[in-house]
Amino acid sequence: MTEYDKIKQDKEEWEKSISLKKERKQSFKNLSEIEINRLYTPNDIKDFNYALDLGFPGQYPFTRGAYPNMYRGQLWTMRQFAGFGSAMQTNKRYKFLINHGNTGLSVAFSLHTIYGIEATDPRALGEIGKEGVAIDSLKDMQTLFDGIDLSKISTSMTINGPASILLALYIVTAEKQGHTPEELRGTIQNDILKEYIAQKSWIFPPEPSMRLIIDTIEYCTKHVPQWYTISISGYHIREAGSTAVQELAFTLADGFAYVEAALERGLDIDDFAPRLSFFFNSHNNFFEEVCKYRAARRIWAKHMKNKYGAKNPESMRLRFHTQTAGVSLAAQEPENNIARVTLQGLASVLGGTQSLHTNSFDEALCLPTENAVKIALRTQQIIAHESGVTDTVDPLAGSYYVEWLTNKMEEESENYFQRIEALGGVVPAIKANFFQKEIANASYKYQREIENRERTIVAVNQFDQKEPCSVPLLKIDEEIANEQINKLNKLKEERDNDKVKEKLERLKEAARGTENLMPFIVDAVREYTSIGEIINTLTEVFGTYHEDSIF
Amino acid sequence: MDYSNFISQLLNGNPRAAARLITFVENDIEAAEEIVNSIYEHTGNAYILGITGAPGTGKSTFISTLIKIYVEQGKKIGIICVDPTSPLTGGALLGDRIRMKQYFSLDNVFIRSMANRGQLGGLARATEDVIKILDAYGCDIIIIETVGVGQSEVDIFKSAQTVVVLLVPGLGDDIQAIKSGIMEITDIFVVNKMDLMGADKKVAEIMQMLEFRKNYKYDSKDISKKYAKIELWTPEITKVNSKIGENFDELLGLIDKHKGFLEESGVISNYMKNRITNETMQILKHKLTQKIEDLLNSDEEIGRYIDQAIKKSLDPYSIANLIIKILGLE
Amino acid sequence: MSVDRKIKVLVCKPGLDGHDRGAKVLARALRDAGMEVIYTGIHQTPDDVVNTVIQEDPDAVMLSMLSGSHNALCPLIMDKLKEHGIDDVLVAVGGIIPDEDKAFLGEHGLKGFHGPGTELKTIVEFVKNNLKR
């Protein structure tokens, strides 16, 4: 009898001894609908091969971590996403965060900035400065980073449609501070595919959008070498209601699509791939999240090496930022969200995240207040300094359950890759609404399960207290919009409008051809051309995009 | 209820009145009767275009482009988007409007979504009445859009003068779907997304299918009777790219050609006859079903027949004959 | 029965916010409750909303708003509806609506204010019980 047979036999014996009636549910499933067994043993990972499946941290296939000594060397970057109101208000919040130990900035932009609409546009009505900081031009960008040395801090900018323009603004802002592009560190999200899939803030059709992205990749590879050119994001896919497996599979599929597009441009994989990064969600099911990150690293490494022929291990090393799940926050008894965020944050740390944003407990109600933001940051600091989980690398490895689930998630992702491939790739699958339908079905099912009490959300569908909410709320002054409009109008009187016109003409001409557009955009923003003006110019050439279907 | 106020507003081109009247005819056949009575003399001016195609063929983008062109020509357009009602819940999701909203003002484009409310044939009971309301409202062209093709969708197009079926390169099962249902009533086949690979292949496939149909057509008396127009009209095939409006000149030319054919050949009178017959049939079916249901539920005599049938002394055919007698329809 | 009355509901998202998970889930729930649901999705301007209401003649309009633009956009929608003489349609707004804004929006005739975590059946019941015709 082999050891496996013996375990199997013993397990059967042991199962006879349990009264199954005593279990709370007939079946236990995680959020990806994967059935979870009562107990995991070596038999569940029979083919487990340490060298092939795990290896050592910082080495192929990177399952155990992106870097060799992980948090023993350097803690993750505590990067709280922030931005609201005017550039001046957000500048103050950044300085507050830096003073409390924030080690990187993360910019949330106003919705009108995200769509490249000028503050003066009627479509911007009611949106200016509400969900993020209002930026229309170089002038606002200089205010935003006033007194913050851009050569010393890394900045992540959550921007997609106009990502190339915001990058240009950042480069020129640094230039005015006396820094060269080579010194700059940070990330632009620049992930348009997930916009079509989930977040919906696209501007142009997929094809010209992809061109702009590859333009930024090419430009940064040459001129801004420390910049992460895309943050390939599963976060929004999850927020739109996907399962963890869908988040994992769709995000990596997007990543492969960018790689393929860059290769098509003629770039060398080992030149650009090291500057790709990822952005994941951390939701409620603890082990599922941990395994998701581990599987992500392994899948990416394998594909980069075997499918795309990367030679440099840097190209295979998946690095990621995590944000705890906004969608998991409850408006009922909002203080409970602190506990949720703690568990979600811990999962991402045990999964080996490179940076983390922990949500503030009041975000189901409003934009976070300063006190709530502080608690969220403190949560990270407690995980980092008090819990002891940072003392060793990948502490959950070798758990039968964790390794089994990591394998299972990889397997299910590969199934999705095949289905996407069969549809002709990511862009055709978007146009066929494949992702959108998968996500819509998953989110409706999840909501139904909560309402049918098949899943418990404390104080929402169980132990319901119905207590009136009493947290203080942050309110955005409606005056901000008027100020922003006045600022933009004033700027247009002061700048050299002939130059602006000339730069826009040149940009338009370049857009009609195949040249890299980044240098033209940098030239345009330097003359205080507004983001909206650049977007409008590009729209004349690229056109717009409308979602084809819904369910 | 008095509808005269709404009706005079409708005839003045008030969109809100049109919308209210549509709701009334959708919800209540008696209201429909009254409303149609009052507006019938103001109808007959609109050209009715039926458009269908399997999901993924880009119907909405296609229709958007069509609308844009017609609006530029100064025409007033009505669009009726019919979606299925869920047989389980009786509810429906109507989402076609989402893709048609750009560029159009309230004055010249009227879009209305309808659920078919379980009606066989894919046609909402009230579609005919809605067409009349939009006609009286002043629409020059009324487009009826339905999802999917197949036998059950055919009815909608009994109301349309010209039927356009969309296909796309690549999609394999659309040809099958057409063969099994709507081929015989299609006037123009359009291969949409002509920029994609395989557009010409799709055109060839349709041609091949039509070759088969020729023999089929002359063999089948039944079909030629029902859709007399196809005996004289060979369906046209064209390809377009709706996203950029490519080749719509040709398409519009074909629609005009078909319109001219209907008039010159005299088939139009055949069409009108069929349409009115069909519509009358629908109304009769609905009214008689109503009467019979009322009778079955309330008439004591029939209750006794049913009791007898339970005891096996009377069979359902005999009950049916007795009811026909009661209704005086012998 | 000659009357075949269905509750018709318009679900949409005014403004620029693209977070449509809630709106989509709600649209399905209303459909599953037997209603006819028109979904026009994201990026609806007040004029878009009003034009759709005029043409589709729904019994209720459900606005989903998460980005904080409700105070600017919702009253504008109500004003425009009034301009067209439409006062018999239930207009509800849900999403992230702080308590202190509810009174203001209520004065403009808006109802509902269902926030994150509200059970779908609560909203379905709300629609059924608050129709104006």
Side-chain angles (χ1 to χ4, degrees):
Chain A
M1 188 187 273
T2 67
E3 194 192 332
Y4 288 124
D5 291 337
K6 173 87 170 79
I7 294 172
K8 187 167 176 251
Q9 199 180 55
D10 290 351
K11 192 180 171 202
E12 278 163 12
E13 284 293 313
W14 168 77
E15 284 195 323
K16 275 185 212 149
S17 72
I18 320 173
S19 165
L20 295 184
K21 281 182 197 141
K22 277 193 187 147
E23 297 201 333
R24 289 181 291 111
K25 290 190 275 191
Q26 239 180 355
S27 84
F28 290 74
K29 281 182 180 164
N30 67 16
L31 299 179
S32 298
E33 294 294 312
I34 294 172
E35 175 108 33
I36 307 299
N37 297 339
R38 184 173 301 114
L39 187 81
Y40 289 87
T41 68
N43 284 13
D44 294 293
I45 48 168
K46 265 187 191 164
D47 301 325
F48 180 75
N49 179 318
Y50 184 81
L52 289 181
D53 294 338
L54 300 187
F56 284 87
Q59 288 176 12
Y60 185 85
F62 298 99
T63 317
R64 301 207 62 183
Y67 296 102
N69 57 354
M70 288 301 289
Y71 307 131
R72 285 169 71 103
Q74 192 185 345
L75 289 169
W76 62 91
T77 306
M78 300 183 189
R79 195 193 290 280
Q80 295 297 91
F81 188 44
F84 59 91
S86 68
M88 202 187 283
Q89 277 177 309
T90 298
N91 176 267
K92 269 191 209 147
R93 175 68 68 92
Y94 287 167
K95 287 175 175 162
F96 168 88
L97 283 166
I98 292 168
N99 289 338
H100 283 81
N102 217 39
T103 49
L105 294 177
S106 178
V107 189
F109 290 101
S110 170
L111 272 173
H112 82 283
T113 306
I114 284 172
Y115 284 93
I117 292 170
E118 292 191 308
T120 44
D121 190 301
R123 288 172 295 168
L125 180 70
E127 310 281 12
I128 298 168
K130 290 280 168 59
E131 276 201 324
V133 59
I135 302 289
D136 275 284
S137 72
L138 180 59
K139 198 131 222 167
D140 299 326
M141 202 71 165
Q142 285 175 284
T143 310
L144 183 66
F145 295 109
D146 183 51
I148 298 168
D149 185 339
L150 295 187
S151 69
K152 297 254 154 60
I153 197 138
S154 81
T155 302
S156 164
M157 293 190 276
T158 299
I159 193 79
N160 295 280
S164 50
I165 306 172
L166 269 300
L167 173 62
L169 285 168
Y170 195 80
I171 291 169
V172 178
T173 304
E175 183 183 289
K176 302 257 175 192
Q177 285 187 1
H179 304 301
T180 62
E182 288 79 16
E183 295 173 67
L184 302 180
R185 287 178 302 123
T187 314
I188 37 175
Q189 195 162 77
N190 208 17
D191 172 10
I192 206 70
L193 292 173
K194 65 93 175 51
E195 294 297 334
Y196 302 111
I197 292 174
Q199 171 94 343
K200 318 283 161 128
S201 53
W202 62 77
I203 299 172
F204 310 119
E207 292 80 5
S209 297
M210 288 296 276
R211 169 188 172 183
L212 276 172
I213 288 167
I214 306 306
D215 281 355
T216 56
I217 292 178
E218 191 178 36
Y219 185 85
C220 287
T221 306
K222 288 180 189 145
H223 306 291
V224 205
Q226 297 193 72
W227 198 265
Y228 285 107
T229 50
I230 321 187
S231 170
I232 305 157
S233 304
Y235 183 80
H236 318 81
I237 292 173
R238 193 67 180 280
E239 289 290 295
S242 82
T243 67
V245 164
Q246 287 169 346
E247 179 197 353
L248 174 64
F250 297 171
T251 310
L252 293 178
D254 287 349
F256 300 144
Y258 293 123
V259 167
E260 285 165 19
L263 291 174
E264 216 168 284
R265 176 72 66 94
L267 301 179
D268 186 296
I269 191 153
D270 289 323
D271 283 342
F272 70 83
R275 304 316 293 171
L276 302 177
S277 66
F278 285 81
F279 174 20
F280 289 111
N281 197 296
S282 191
H283 209 289
N284 287 344
N285 192 306
F286 188 80
F287 286 103
E288 184 179 20
E289 295 304 308
V290 174
C291 296
K292 180 181 77 188
Y293 308 121
R294 301 176 85 245
R297 274 193 299 269
R298 186 161 75 202
I299 297 168
W300 184 252
K302 281 186 184 171
H303 282 248
M304 292 305 280
K305 186 178 180 181
N306 303 330
K307 187 166 178 194
Y308 299 111
K311 302 270 184 305
N312 181 357
E314 285 299 317
S315 305
M316 308 169 201
R317 189 199 307 274
L318 180 146
R319 285 151 287 231
F320 68 100
H321 171 70
T322 307
Q323 181 170 339
T324 58
V327 74
S328 74
L329 299 174
Q332 297 91 331
E333 299 183 19
E335 296 86 349
N336 297 339
N337 293 326
I338 298 173
R340 291 190 181 100
V341 167
T342 307
L343 285 165
Q344 294 164 357
L346 180 61
S348 75
V349 168
L350 289 171
T353 194
Q354 272 59 61
S355 67
L356 176 61
H357 167 104
T358 35
N359 285 329
S360 301
F361 70 89
D362 55 0
E363 284 182 72
L365 303 166
C366 64
L367 275 169
T369 55
E370 210 153 84
N371 182 48
V373 169
K374 196 168 85 186
I375 293 172
L377 179 59
R378 294 295 185 233
T379 304
Q380 291 201 39
Q381 291 166 337
I382 290 167
I383 295 171
H385 300 288
E386 299 182 16
S387 73
V389 296
T390 53
D391 294 347
T392 186
V393 178
D394 191 23
L396 297 182
S399 146
Y400 305 123
Y401 175 41
V402 167
E403 297 304 348
W404 172 84
L405 187 55
T406 305
N407 292 346
K408 181 83 184 160
M409 291 183 87
E410 178 177 0
E411 185 189 312
E412 300 219 342
S413 295
E414 291 290 345
N415 287 341
Y416 262 127
F417 299 151
Q418 279 178 15
R419 290 172 68 187
I420 294 163
E421 189 97 39
L423 289 166
V426 173
V427 171
I430 285 171
K431 291 183 175 171
N433 297 303
F434 171 73
F435 304 105
Q436 298 91 317
K437 274 185 205 155
E438 288 285 309
I439 295 170
N441 290 339
S443 72
Y444 190 49
K445 189 158 187 292
Y446 180 68
Q447 189 63 33
R448 281 279 176 214
E449 286 169 356
I450 289 176
E451 304 218 345
N452 297 336
R453 310 282 189 277
E454 290 161 39
R455 295 195 187 277
T456 297
I457 307 291
V458 174
V460 172
N461 68 355
Q462 292 269 323
F463 324 114
D464 192 353
Q465 298 295 310
K466 287 268 183 317
E467 228 172 70
C469 144
S470 60
V471 295
L473 304 178
L474 179 79
K475 193 98 179 125
I476 300 298
D477 192 348
E478 299 284 343
E479 239 342 272
I480 297 286
N482 293 332
E483 273 172 34
Q484 191 68 16
I485 289 167
N486 292 338
K487 261 193 290 178
L488 184 59
N489 286 334
K490 191 154 163 268
L491 175 76
K492 287 188 177 177
E493 282 168 19
E494 290 169 358
R495 66 183 185 183
D496 185 341
N497 281 310
D498 289 338
K499 273 204 171 140
V500 168
K501 216 174 140 196
E502 182 208 319
K503 299 295 180 194
L504 286 174
E505 277 305 317
R506 292 188 53 195
L507 173 66
K508 194 165 164 184
E509 211 172 294
R512 289 206 178 99
T514 55
E515 264 176 290
N516 190 314
L517 297 179
M518 271 308 290
F520 297 93
I521 296 172
V522 172
D523 280 352
V525 303
R526 201 180 274 124
E527 300 301 332
Y528 294 91
T529 310
S530 77
I531 298 170
E533 287 168 323
I534 294 174
I535 290 294
N536 289 343
T537 302
L538 291 175
T539 304
E540 284 174 36
V541 181
F542 294 156
T544 52
Y545 181 78
H546 296 278
E547 192 170 33
D548 230 27
S549 182
I550 41 155
F551 293 103
Chain B
M1 187 163 169
D2 180 19
Y3 303 105
S4 56
N5 210 358
F6 286 119
I7 288 168
S8 63
Q9 284 176 21
L10 170 82
L11 298 175
N12 281 325
N14 179 324
R16 166 89 174 142
R20 293 298 292 145
L21 288 167
I22 291 173
T23 304
F24 296 137
V25 302
E26 263 192 301
N27 287 343
D28 184 347
I29 194 174
E30 276 153 29
E33 190 164 341
E34 211 177 315
I35 291 163
V36 169
N37 247 313
S38 315
I39 64 168
Y40 196 66
E41 58 176 322
H42 301 283
T43 64
N45 305 312
Y47 195 77
I48 302 159
L49 209 53
I51 295 177
T52 192
T57 49
K59 283 186 295 298
S60 301
T61 316
F62 174 79
I63 292 174
S64 292
T65 307
L66 215 50
I67 296 170
K68 197 169 163 233
I69 294 168
Y70 283 135
V71 166
E72 278 164 11
Q73 293 176 357
K75 298 217 166 81
K76 191 167 168 177
I77 326 292
I79 300 105
I80 306 169
C81 309
V82 185
D83 275 309
T85 293
S86 156
L88 287 176
T89 64
L93 264 179
L94 313 170
D96 292 329
R97 196 187 175 90
I98 192 173
R99 288 158 275 172
M100 295 185 197
K101 70 151 202 183
Q102 316 102 283
Y103 321 121
F104 315 132
S105 80
L106 200 54
D107 300 329
N108 47 27
V109 180
F110 190 105
I111 305 173
R112 180 70 175 222
S113 317
M114 288 180 80
N116 69 16
R117 300 197 179 172
Q119 186 84 1
L120 263 180
L123 175 70
R125 174 189 60 73
T127 312
E128 267 293 348
D129 300 336
V130 176
I131 291 172
K132 290 190 183 71
I133 290 170
L134 291 180
D135 194 338
Y137 171 63
C139 288
D140 301 298
I141 292 165
I142 297 169
I143 295 173
I144 314 167
E145 185 219 344
T146 153
V147 187
V149 287
Q151 194 67 55
S152 63
E153 304 285 330
V154 166
D155 268 4
I156 291 189
F157 300 112
K158 289 181 184 162
S159 312
Q161 270 122 308
T162 300
V163 174
V164 175
V165 171
L166 287 193
L167 299 96
V168 280
L171 215 68
D173 38 5
D174 50 356
I175 291 266
Q176 282 309 320
I178 286 170
K179 274 190 197 162
S180 72
I182 197 164
M183 177 171 70
E184 289 80 7
I185 58 155
T186 304
D187 302 305
I188 302 169
F189 288 98
V190 176
V191 175
N192 195 10
K193 307 186 187 179
M194 65 184 276
D195 53 316
L196 297 183
M197 284 228 309
D200 290 323
K201 189 170 162 247
K202 185 63 87 177
V203 170
E205 277 172 34
I206 300 165
M207 281 183 171
Q208 204 180 17
M209 182 183 76
L210 290 174
E211 285 302 315
F212 277 121
R213 198 193 59 100
K214 264 185 192 158
N215 306 326
Y216 179 59
K217 177 174 73 178
Y218 297 117
D219 287 346
S220 169
K221 291 246 165 44
D222 178 44
I223 286 169
S224 58
K225 217 158 97 191
K226 239 180 180 166
Y227 308 108
K229 57 184 177 179
I230 59 160
E231 287 241 334
L232 303 163
W233 172 261
T234 308
E236 293 282 353
I237 309 170
T238 186
K239 44 182 189 172
V240 299
N241 179 351
S242 304
K243 286 238 162 83
I244 54 170
E246 192 179 353
N247 217 24
F248 270 70
D249 290 349
E250 182 176 318
L251 171 70
L252 290 177
L254 292 177
I255 293 175
D256 280 344
K257 184 179 166 192
H258 186 250
K259 192 176 171 186
F261 155 77
L262 288 178
E263 280 154 16
E264 283 156 28
S265 66
V267 169
I268 189 78
S269 65
N270 210 328
Y271 155 80
M272 288 306 296
K273 220 156 68 188
N274 280 338
R275 184 176 162 196
I276 293 169
T277 310
N278 177 51
E279 196 186 340
T280 310
M281 275 294 290
Q282 290 292 333
I283 295 168
L284 271 175
K285 270 186 202 164
H286 199 277
K287 288 200 162 207
L288 287 175
T289 307
Q290 210 66 69
K291 271 196 194 308
I292 293 163
E293 272 177 12
D294 290 350
L295 211 60
L296 284 171
N297 290 331
S298 62
D299 195 280
E300 281 177 25
E301 197 181 340
I302 293 172
R304 280 198 297 279
Y305 296 152
I306 289 171
D307 287 340
Q308 286 174 40
I310 293 169
K311 289 175 197 141
K312 308 287 174 202
S313 60
L314 203 63
D315 67 87
Y317 278 101
S318 309
I319 302 178
N321 286 333
L322 288 164
I323 291 173
I324 289 174
K325 206 181 231 169
I326 293 171
L327 289 171
L329 289 174
E330 254 176 323
Chain C
M1 216 178 72
S2 67
V3 177
D4 179 21
R5 176 109 163 70
K6 291 269 183 191
I7 297 173
K8 199 166 174 183
V9 188
L10 168 63
V11 177
C12 63
K13 280 186 66 61
L16 295 175
D17 174 41
H19 293 93
D20 58 1
R21 186 188 58 88
K24 280 184 173 173
V25 166
L26 176 64
R28 285 191 182 207
L30 295 171
R31 174 200 59 187
D32 289 351
M35 300 183 196
E36 291 180 354
V37 183
I38 299 151
Y39 180 81
T40 53
I42 55 175
H43 303 167
Q44 299 287 299
T45 66
D47 282 328
D48 290 336
V49 177
V50 172
N51 286 355
T52 303
V53 173
I54 290 170
Q55 298 190 342
E56 297 286 358
D57 192 30
D59 302 296
V61 179
M62 311 297 282
L63 307 169
S64 164
M65 309 208 51
L66 301 161
S67 70
S69 55
H70 46 267
N71 280 356
L73 297 180
C74 294
L76 202 58
I77 291 170
M78 298 310 286
D79 290 349
K80 283 174 188 275
L81 285 175
K82 220 175 277 164
E83 270 170 42
H84 284 92
I86 299 174
D87 55 6
D88 59 349
V89 176
L90 163 66
V91 185
V93 56
I96 298 186
I97 313 291
D99 281 342
E100 56 200 273
D101 292 343
K102 290 177 185 166
F104 170 75
L105 294 171
E107 279 167 28
H108 282 85
L110 288 131
K111 293 204 160 73
F113 313 118
H114 298 100
T118 308
E119 294 211 343
L120 294 169
K121 55 181 175 238
T122 310
I123 305 178
V124 168
E125 283 310 305
F126 165 82
V127 171
K128 285 183 181 161
N129 295 330
N130 286 275
L131 294 176
K132 291 178 158 183
R133 61 188 193 205

